[in-house]
Amino acid sequence: MEENLIVCTGLQKRFGNAAALRKVDLTVGRGKIVGLLGPNGSGKTTLIKLLCGLLQPTAGEIRIDGQAPGPYTKSIVSYLPDRMYFADWMTANDLMDFFEDFYKDFRRQKAEAMCAALGLQMNQRIKTMSKGTKEKLQLILVMSREAQLYLLDEPIAGVDPAARDFILDTILGNYNENGTVVISTHLISDVEKVLDEVIFLKKGEVVRQDTVDHIRETEGKSVDALFREVFRTVPYGEYMPHPREWDCAAHAPEKLEPPARAENQEGGDAQ
Amino acid sequence: MEWKILDNRPIWAQLQEQLTLRIIAGTYPLGSRLPSVRELAAEAGVNPNTMQRALSSLEGSGLVAANRTAGRFVTEDRERLDAIRMEFARSRMEEYLAGMETLGFTRDEAKQLLMEEA
């Protein structure tokens, strides 16, 4: 058993001319819940797909428990994709059969108990389930494996706050203690409390990797507030804030210079 | 008592404070066994490692002692608890006085008002 569960060195992924990941060097240990944070298009899903072996890197290397992605790593990685990939005529029961056949670390009893707790009918077709129920069912399947690495791509996007709590509690209550959970999301304030560590991805590069409490200690603010600062973009418009009012001018985009404030004709200045 | 996590401070420090409050309030009585790290973490909806850090730090303050096999126990030292209770009380009073000061009351006026109210 390697000490570091994930090691990426000089990882790059291009789609034609577009660079999705520029140069990612990353080490993630065991027994942690890690947030993979970044705005849309920053490379979160690409990185996760590379880690599960669904994509091949353009350059660089990935090691999971010391091995390149392949049959071994797939047996220890439990992946929740960002969208439903099951045929919608299937029932919860069919899916359990599926998982039982595919993964020897799948604990069916556990999955069934979790469905029962949720009041989910085992013979209900996916087609007839609400979006939230589908998400919960998928998460139950993924978390019922005794995997070493759980890769959860946007597990709480698009569900209501109560469903988010259910999903986060399910993750907290069911991950394997020697295993690591990677959660990609941009809903930071919802997940911040459950994370040990965060990785900020910006335009295909890791701009920060730190523990949540270290960020709070050194910055005096939450990870959510820091994220808003690091990824702040200034919208174009007549009423753009004057540069003086930016509380984080250092993070403002270099190119887009806001015009000098227009003379205010209405008299009342928006402070 | 609800677990409340605010934005501006480390989570573990807030957990430690709230665990202390629960001990002072008698939610976890003197000499009793604390729930496990996992249970507490699940209840507060936080990462177990963060809860672990809060509990270790409580051990450092002497309010809680770990028994290798049986888990963590609240201290039976009432004097220690009373001392910590006074610390909390002082900091609450400071908060009150500071709050009144921003409203433009002097210390004496604040004291007077409190006496009338209580």
Side-chain angles (χ1 to χ4, degrees), chain A residues 4-16:
Chain A
N4 287 317
L5 193 56
I6 304 175
V7 180
C8 298
T9 32
L11 190 63
Q12 282 183 44
K13 179 67 188 176
R14 307 184 68 85
F15 295 105

Side-chain angles (χ1 to χ4, degrees), chain A residues 62-91:
Chain A
I62 301 172
R63 290 283 175 272
I64 292 168
D65 195 24
Q67 309 257 338
Y72 168 71
T73 68
K74 289 184 189 196
S75 74
I76 61 161
V77 172
S78 190
Y79 167 52
L80 179 77
D82 58 351
R83 63 193 64 170
M84 193 88 185
Y85 63 102
F86 304 118
D88 63 3
W89 52 263
M90 292 177 97
T91 64

